């Protein structure tokens, strides 16, 4: 992996030229603006040299999301960039990582915003760095663009994310990227080695009547698994004894297992404009087709069965769960300045989930496959009425093994340039993920089939958002969930099993974000309060989570250097934190161990020189003097004090 990452690094550095100037980021551009703009940015080329395009502007280096929201490349340095400078490359507020980079994260905020009518692949603890369709962006650039991301890891490793994109013509863009990680970790048998390779392309004809976007993604996420440290070593860890400061002295639960999540996906989204181009400004009628084929599997290997998971059928454990998912959507879209944007959808899904062999128990025969076809119909609508924005989505399965439906309605209002608000109601009904429905293992107690006994999970969500840079950014969510499904560890068998709650779950959360500035100093605050009104024990969460950053910003050497430095404070209240089961790659509810109520202090010093952002951080520097009682999950200690650094470097040709 290390050699592979270095080869990718050398490949991308070949394209490197960095003669370009940066302006501040602007608000999102509307897709209609992008379609009507002409980018007169063709590079001038000679037979011997590639000449820099002096006319290219930073606003022309476009990043287009899967939902067609468009921004452009941002090489500025801000506190938001500090929050995103991590393995996931996104703000991970509400997540607490395990000790080694590339392992899983424990969710302090429950991800209950699923909007799907079909079950999804299980092993959710391994999906934090698995790039879904919505995680893939497309590009349109006037000149070739390269971005290099590098960050140190723990003990013999690093993270590298290398990206290159080019428009071979104003109509066609191509991008290629690879993110690789290898990190040995500070504990025994906890190595991680991951890779995310992606290729994207988008094209439109000169008259823009035909548009196509496509991507190919291959991913492999490998972790050595050790089950955490023993209960005896938890006491030794908390004691702070110097004999145990070297974390390699701890004996984990086992040292002979590893897990890997692999996936390959081919995605195609193309659309043909039926209306004439000269009429498309007022009225637009188009037909489109989306195709996605994804083949993925999760495998847990153990050279010899361990009592940690109970009795086993065989001595050597090889548990492999696979899913093949073929998805098609045909749609008709009509857009009018008066009526708005209206789209009708017809979806077809073919899925094949399961295992190679049928499992026979004393009282039950467990099938090895869940496979079927599902047809769904739906519609989307969006329109603006003055300062109001109205949107709606509906989707319902009309045939197939799984019943399911999803309804979402939103109403937004813009008060002025600074304040806007939005209210959203979502009603979703779908089967729980496949791990709950069917699982077979070489371990006897990890075999079940619940397709006929588990009902759909019905989630009703009301969400209100208020965004204002002068006042604050406020988000309020209220959830009512019926048939909530979760994993729980049984005392009598010491194994993890799926359960479905017979009582409704009522849960709310309030998030407030506000930055206060005074001169060159600033205090950025993110506070979350959440509580379970009904259903506590089936779902456990910390009531209070906070992140507060006090920092200083200034320019030096005639604005050649921009510097930010400060301290980040993270904290969450004590609660019965979910445990981690590496066999399932799922988190489970437990009521034995309270975790939390420990501060995490990070010192950072970041700098920007031209298009290069340099990041230096002393992570958890308070660990030695605030007590060794910090964990990411029961028996899984959080990270000790460490110093890490890295950079993000953009090259514009």
């Amino acid at each position: 992996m290390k050699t592979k990452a270095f080869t990718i690094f050398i490949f991308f550095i070949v394209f490197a030229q960095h003669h370009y100037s940066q302006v501040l980021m602007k608000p999102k551009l509307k897709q209609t603006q992008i379609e009507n703009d002409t980018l007169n940015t063709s590079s001038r080329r000679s037979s011997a040299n590639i000449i820099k395009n002096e006319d290219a502007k930073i606003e022309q280096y476009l990043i287009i999301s899967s939902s067609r929201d468009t921004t452009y490349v941002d090489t500025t340095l801000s506190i938001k960039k500090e929050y995103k400078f991590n393995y996931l490359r996104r703000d991970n507020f509400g997540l607490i990582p395990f000790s080694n980079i590339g392992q899983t994260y424990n969710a302090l905020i429950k991800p209950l915003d699923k909007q799907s009518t079909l079950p999804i692949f299980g092993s959710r603890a391994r999906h934090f760095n698995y790039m879904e369709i919505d995680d893939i962006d497309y590009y349109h650039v006037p000149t070739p663009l390269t971005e290099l991301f590098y960050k140190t890891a723990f003990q013999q490793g690093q993270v590298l994310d290398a990206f290159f994109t080019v428009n071979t013509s104003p109509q066609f863009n191509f991008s290629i990227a690879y993110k690789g990680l290898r990190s040995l970790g500070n504990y025994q048998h906890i190595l991680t080695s991951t890779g995310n390779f992606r290729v994207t392309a988008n094209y439109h004809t000169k008259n823009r009547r035909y548009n196509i976007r496509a991507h190919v993604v291959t991913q492999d996420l490998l972790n050595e698994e050790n089950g955490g440290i023993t209960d005896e070593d938890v006491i030794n860890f908390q004691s702070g004894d110097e004999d145990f400061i070297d974390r390699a002295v701890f004996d984990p639960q086992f040292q002979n297992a590893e897990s890997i999540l692999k996936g390959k996906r081919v995605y195609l989204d193309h659309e043909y404009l039926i209306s004439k181009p000269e009429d498309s400004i007022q009225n637009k009628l188009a037909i489109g087709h989306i195709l996605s084929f994804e083949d993925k599997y999760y495998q847990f290997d153990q050279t010899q069965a361990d009592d940690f998971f109970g009795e086993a059928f065989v001595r050597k454990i090889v548990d492999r769960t696979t899913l093949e998912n073929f998805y098609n959507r045909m749609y008709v879209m009509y857009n009018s300045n008066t009526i708005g944007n209206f789209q009708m959808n017809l979806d077809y899904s073919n899925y094949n989930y399961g295992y190679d062999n049928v499992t026979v128990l004393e009282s039950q025969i467990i099938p090895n496959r869940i496979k079927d076809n599902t047809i769904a119909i739906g519609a989307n609508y969006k329109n603006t009425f003055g300062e109001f924005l109205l949107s709606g989505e509906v989707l319902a399965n009309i045939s197939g093994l799984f019943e399911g439906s999803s309804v979402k309605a939103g109403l937004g209002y813009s008060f002025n340039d600074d304040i806007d608000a939005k209210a959203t109601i979502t009603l979703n009904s779908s089967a729980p993920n496949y791990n709950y429905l069917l699982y077979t293992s070489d371990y006897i107690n990890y075999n079940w089939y619940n397709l006929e006994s588990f009902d759909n999970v019905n989630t009703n969500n009301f969400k209100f958002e208020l965004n204002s840079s002068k006042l604050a950014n406020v988000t309020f969510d209220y959830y009512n969930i019926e048939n909530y499904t979760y994993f729980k560890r049984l005392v009598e068998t010491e194994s993890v099993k799926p359960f479905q709650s017979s009582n409704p779950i009522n849960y709310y959360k309030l998030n407030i974000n506000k930055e206060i500035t005074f001169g060159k100093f600033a205090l950025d605050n993110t506070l979350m309060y959440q509580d379970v009104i009904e259903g506590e024990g089936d779902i456990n969460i910390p009531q209070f989570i906070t992140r507060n950053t006090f920092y200083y910003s200034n320019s030096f050497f005639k604005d050649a250097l921009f510097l930010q430095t400060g301290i980040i404070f993270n904290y969450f209240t004590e609660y019965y934190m979910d445990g981690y089961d590496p066999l399932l790659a799922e988190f489970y509810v437990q009521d034995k161990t309270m975790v939390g109520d420990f501060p995490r202090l990070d010192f950072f010093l970041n700098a920007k020189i031209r298009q290069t952002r340099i990041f230096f951080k002393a992570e958890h520097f308070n660990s030695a003097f605030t007590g060794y009682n910090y964990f990411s999950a029961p028996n899984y200690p959080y990270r000790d004090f460490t110093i890490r650094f890295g950079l993000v470097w953009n090259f514009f040709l």
Side-chain angles (χ1 to χ4, degrees), residues 108-388:
L108 307 178
I109 305 169
K110 294 299 180 183
L112 302 174
D113 298 324
K114 174 189 171 185
Q115 192 175 354
S116 172
T117 60
L118 291 173
I120 59 177
F121 192 77
S123 307
R124 301 314 301 172
R126 296 300 309 279
H127 277 75
F128 288 97
N129 185 51
Y130 189 89
M131 294 184 175
E132 308 286 358
I133 292 175
D134 292 341
D135 298 318
I136 303 300
D137 292 325
Y138 305 87
Y139 303 88
H140 192 296
V141 293
T143 66
L145 167 66
T146 302
E147 180 177 276
L148 298 177
F149 170 100
Y150 171 82
K151 189 172 186 179
T152 56
F154 298 103
Q155 300 287 338
Q156 305 176 22
Q158 63 276 316
V159 186
L160 173 68
D161 192 356
F163 163 81
F164 172 76
T165 184
V166 62
N167 266 71
T168 59
S169 72
Q171 287 78 47
F172 179 76
N173 174 273
F174 165 82
S175 79
I176 183 171
Y178 177 80
K179 180 166 74 169
L181 159 71
R182 185 177 178 87
S183 181
L184 183 62
N186 294 321
Y187 292 81
Q188 294 288 339
H189 202 76
I190 205 169
L191 177 143
T192 58
S193 179
T194 69
N196 307 79
F197 176 77
R198 60 256 190 217
V199 176
T200 74
N202 63 85
Y203 169 80
H204 63 81
T205 56
K206 289 185 178 180
N207 62 7
R208 293 189 177 272
R209 296 194 72 167
Y210 180 70
N211 300 273
I212 182 172
R213 301 186 302 170
H215 73 247
V216 176
V217 177
T218 63
Q219 307 178 72
D220 59 282
L221 314 175
L222 181 141
N223 280 7
E224 288 183 342
E225 303 286 0
N226 62 18
I229 62 176
T230 64
D231 291 341
E232 180 182 353
D233 277 337
V234 167
I235 298 174
N236 294 329
F237 174 86
Q238 293 174 326
S239 71
D241 192 313
E242 292 183 358
D243 294 336
F244 300 100
I245 296 301
D246 180 4
R247 304 311 188 188
V249 303
F250 289 130
D251 291 324
Q253 301 282 3
F254 47 83
Q255 300 186 54
N256 61 348
E258 69 177 29
S259 63
I260 187 169
L261 175 66
K262 276 195 173 185
K264 299 177 182 178
R265 181 174 65 247
V266 178
Y267 178 85
L268 174 70
D269 179 359
H270 54 141
E271 180 182 272
Y272 181 75
L273 187 65
I274 297 175
S275 58
K276 295 181 180 180
E278 56 265 28
D279 298 332
S280 62
I281 296 177
Q282 297 297 327
N283 299 284
K284 178 180 178 181
L285 179 63
I287 57 173
H289 172 232
I290 297 174
L291 178 148
S292 173
F293 177 75
E294 188 164 30
D295 184 2
K296 65 194 300 188
Y297 72 84
Y298 173 78
Q299 183 166 318
F300 180 88
D301 296 321
Q302 197 168 21
T303 56
Q304 184 174 344
D306 193 279
D307 292 340
F308 182 80
F309 298 107
E311 296 182 10
F313 293 112
V314 294
R315 182 176 181 180
K316 182 179 180 181
I317 307 298
V318 181
D319 288 352
R320 183 184 177 107
T321 308
T322 64
L323 173 65
E324 294 179 356
N325 188 38
F326 180 66
Y327 169 79
N328 276 277
R329 165 171 284 187
M330 300 293 297
Y331 66 87
V332 178
M333 186 267 290
Y334 177 74
N335 187 31
S336 168
N337 287 352
T338 55
I339 299 177
N341 185 289
F342 180 75
Q343 179 175 309
M344 291 290 295
N345 306 313
L346 177 64
D347 294 1
Y348 169 81
S349 298
N350 175 274
Y351 41 87
N352 185 352
Y353 166 84
Y355 306 85
D356 292 335
N357 302 309
V358 173
T359 301
V360 179
L361 302 177
E362 291 183 359
S363 58
Q364 186 182 16
I365 297 177
I366 298 179
N368 65 319
R369 290 284 168 186
I370 298 176
K371 52 191 302 187
D372 198 25
N373 305 311
T374 296
I375 297 176
I377 58 173
N380 303 339
Y381 178 76
K382 182 182 291 186
N383 197 12
T384 56
F385 304 92
E387 301 301 325
F388 287 94

Side-chain angles (χ1 to χ4, degrees), residues 82-92 149 151:
E82 162 61 32
Y83 298 152
K84 294 181 180 179
F85 189 72
N86 54 53
Y87 173 60
L88 299 180
R89 302 206 67 183
R90 62 177 183 266
D91 191 340
N92 59 9
F149 170 100
K151 189 172 186 179

